[in-house]
Amino acid sequence: MKKILSLTIFIVSAFSLFGQNEFDSLLKVLDKTINLRPQYTEEKELHIGNLKKQLFYASTDEQKYEILGQLFDQYKGYQMDSALNITNQRLTTAERQGIKKNISVAQMNLSEIMGMTGMYKEALDILEKQDRKAFDREQLLYYYHLYHSIYVLMTNYSISENEKIHYEKLTYQYKDSILQIIPSDDIGYAMVKSNQLLAIGNYEQALDIASKC
């Protein structure tokens, strides 16, 4: 469902950027994606079922922590109640392990779920308590990604123009933070950079970079 929604938003945004033939082609892609939704759902449920079996037979907290992380990835944006439950299990497992890195990642998983469900203050409170100086590159990228995602949502749902401008600036700043730690030849760099260029109205360069993804 999340993939279908993302594609829909992209196609609506693309209406002013493409000609009619290209736009018609994009609509055909959307139709095909919607038609395949039952297949996607069936495959996801099968994968989730297999992960739950692995979790049941896991004998160590290390194994449980990793499997719970995979379940979190499957559930977020799909079944939020289940994602929250899995996140709490992962955090409990990490705390039982006593591994600082695992605790931080699990806490950021919780922040992600809260952000996705509109609990922006709670999500930001969790991030503000993190010790980013202790993060490795992967953790730091996740940390910046969460701030960016939350501020994007806060921008979209801002009531006043001043709030909207404020959150747009913060969103742009976190795009910069992300770009500073992603290798320039990484596909993620191109995606963030093109999005940043779109935000300032540089459509031609943004499309040029996006076309190389």
Side-chain angles (χ1 to χ4, degrees):
M1 182 64 182
K2 187 176 180 181
K3 290 181 179 178
I4 295 172
L5 179 59
S6 298
L7 186 56
T8 303
I9 293 171
F10 172 76
I11 289 175
V12 171
S13 302
F15 182 75
S16 62
L17 299 175
F18 295 96
Q20 186 63 45
N21 290 336
E22 290 85 353
F23 187 72
D24 289 343
S25 296
L26 288 171
L27 286 176
K28 289 179 182 178
V29 172
L30 177 59
D31 287 340
K32 182 178 180 181
T33 304
I34 292 173
N35 291 335
L36 289 174
R37 181 184 174 187
Q39 180 182 333
Y40 293 149
T41 301
E42 184 178 350
E43 290 174 355
K44 179 176 280 291
E45 289 293 343
L46 181 61
H47 188 41
I48 287 173
N50 288 333
L51 288 172
K52 285 183 175 180
K53 287 180 183 178
Q54 292 178 38
L55 181 63
F56 180 80
Y57 289 108
S59 57
T60 68
D61 280 336
E62 181 181 4
Q63 292 173 333
K64 291 176 182 178
Y65 177 83
E66 293 301 324
I67 296 168
L68 286 166
Q70 294 177 57
L71 279 168
F72 169 75
D73 288 336
Q74 290 298 313
Y75 274 126
K76 65 179 181 180
Y78 178 60
Q79 292 180 8
M80 300 306 290
D81 289 345
S82 297
L84 179 59
N85 178 49
I86 290 297
T87 302
N88 287 326
Q89 288 185 52
R90 196 179 199 207
L91 181 55
T92 298
T93 302
E95 290 172 341
R96 191 165 58 239
Q97 287 178 299
I99 299 176
K100 187 176 181 179
K101 175 181 179 179
N102 289 357
I103 293 172
S104 293
V105 172
Q107 288 174 339
M108 288 193 287
N109 290 161
L110 183 57
S111 175
E112 183 172 2
I113 293 301
M114 288 182 170
M116 293 174 73
T117 54
M119 300 173 67
Y120 306 132
K121 182 182 182 302
E122 293 81 357
L124 291 173
D125 284 346
I126 291 173
L127 293 179
E128 287 169 5
K129 293 176 182 177
Q130 300 302 313
D131 180 14
R132 70 176 187 179
K133 293 180 180 178
F135 286 171
D136 58 24
R137 177 183 168 279
E138 184 178 359
Q139 284 175 283
L140 191 58
L141 183 58
Y142 185 33
Y143 174 80
Y144 287 148
H145 161 74
L146 290 177
Y147 263 118
H148 175 267
S149 298
I150 292 167
Y151 284 132
V152 166
L153 290 169
M154 293 178 77
T155 298
N156 292 339
Y157 291 102
S158 293
I159 297 175
S160 74
E161 190 62 25
N162 286 338
E163 279 186 340
K164 186 179 182 68
I165 292 172
H166 174 64
Y167 293 134
E168 282 178 343
K169 288 180 179 178
L170 289 171
T171 301
Y172 191 89
Q173 289 172 13
Y174 277 103
K175 282 184 173 68
D176 263 345
S177 297
I178 292 170
L179 291 172
Q180 287 175 15
I181 58 175
I182 299 183
S184 58
D185 59 348
D186 190 293
I187 187 172
Y189 183 95
M191 292 174 67
V192 174
K193 187 64 179 177
S194 62
N195 190 264
Q196 187 185 53
L197 290 167
L198 281 173
I200 60 175
N202 195 336
Y203 303 115
E204 186 174 345
Q205 189 177 355
L207 287 172
D208 181 58
I209 292 175
S211 67
K212 297 174 183 176
C213 292

